[in-house]
Amino acid sequence: MWDIAKYSVTEHLRDGSTAELRALRPADETAVLDALDQSSTQSLQRRFFGIKRHFSDKERAFFMNVDFKNHVALVCEVESPERTMIVGGGRYVVFEPGRAELAFVVIDAWQGRGIGSILMRHLGEIASNAGLRELTAEVLPENRSMLAVLGKFGFKPAKNRDPQTMRLALCLGKEGP
């Protein structure tokens, strides 16, 4: 298996621009927080199921310190005239052997360019290569764009305990992405 902590690929977005999809690095913390600052309250609500602008030290450590085995995180980075910036990210966290939950966020100005689908494709491939059997996602019912992305990859409704969210699952393997 390759070193996922060094994962990096160049992708073309729907608008023709290019982006680097790469492994999250500890040094990315400021850029990640900057990206979240550029996200609307609606986007933050859809990602965190609440408006989350500040994170405790424990939460920051969880989001930034990934082991690339049980917790894999990728970021989407683009060049702007002023600087290089992170415009989205996705991750999965193994919650029991063979099963992981995934989540994404894309800053508002970059939504609709295919970043969620690109993140999903790469995380799906990494998860499958890592031997995971299932990916799950909790999504708010009004988050139609995320539901569309997951549906495109074959996620199906799954048993859910929370009536406020939709739980979707994708079996990996021959039927996977």
Side-chain angles (χ1 to χ4, degrees):
M1 179 143 78
W2 76 98
D3 186 358
I4 301 166
K6 295 180 180 166
Y7 195 83
S8 177
V9 296
T10 299
E11 287 280 354
H12 294 280
L13 305 181
R14 282 188 195 130
D15 64 2
S17 62
T18 59
E20 180 185 8
L21 193 74
R22 64 169 177 78
L24 176 72
R25 302 175 192 137
D28 290 331
E29 183 171 351
T30 300
V32 167
L33 292 172
D34 286 347
L36 290 173
D37 283 344
Q38 294 179 51
S39 298
S40 68
T41 54
Q42 182 182 47
S43 290
L44 294 173
Q45 171 75 26
R46 288 178 175 173
R47 167 59 181 90
F48 298 107
F49 301 162
I51 299 166
K52 191 87 172 152
R53 291 258 180 227
H54 303 284
F55 297 88
S56 69
D57 290 342
K58 183 178 179 180
E59 289 169 322
R60 287 165 88 149
F62 171 78
F63 285 116
M64 297 308 302
N65 300 325
V66 298
D67 63 10
F68 293 100
K69 182 176 187 230
N70 292 310
H71 188 170
V72 172
L74 302 177
V75 295
C76 180
E77 192 172 62
V78 298
E79 294 285 335
S80 75
E82 305 84 39
R83 63 189 168 107
T84 300
M85 57 190 272
I86 291 174
V87 296
R91 67 183 63 232
Y92 69 74
V93 178
V94 175
F95 62 87
E96 69 180 46
R99 299 178 71 209
E101 183 172 358
L102 77 126
F104 304 93
V105 66
V106 177
I107 67 171
D108 294 63
W110 286 83
Q111 291 176 6
R113 300 183 200 202
I115 293 171
S117 293
I118 291 168
L119 286 164
M120 179 58 233
R121 181 168 38 88
H122 286 272
L123 285 170
E125 289 171 5
I126 291 168
S128 186
N129 288 334
L132 295 180
R133 295 182 318 275
E134 182 181 65
L135 288 174
T136 65
E138 296 282 333
V139 182
L140 292 172
E142 66 268 16
N143 192 347
R144 296 189 192 286
S145 57
M146 192 74 244
L147 291 169
V149 168
L150 296 174
K152 180 170 84 172
F153 283 88
F155 278 76
K156 304 284 184 218
K159 191 174 183 179
N160 189 13
R161 293 183 204 148
D162 182 355
Q164 303 300 314
T165 65
M166 295 178 67
R167 183 174 190 82
L168 304 170
L170 174 68
C171 290
L172 299 174
K174 292 183 180 174
E175 313 86 43

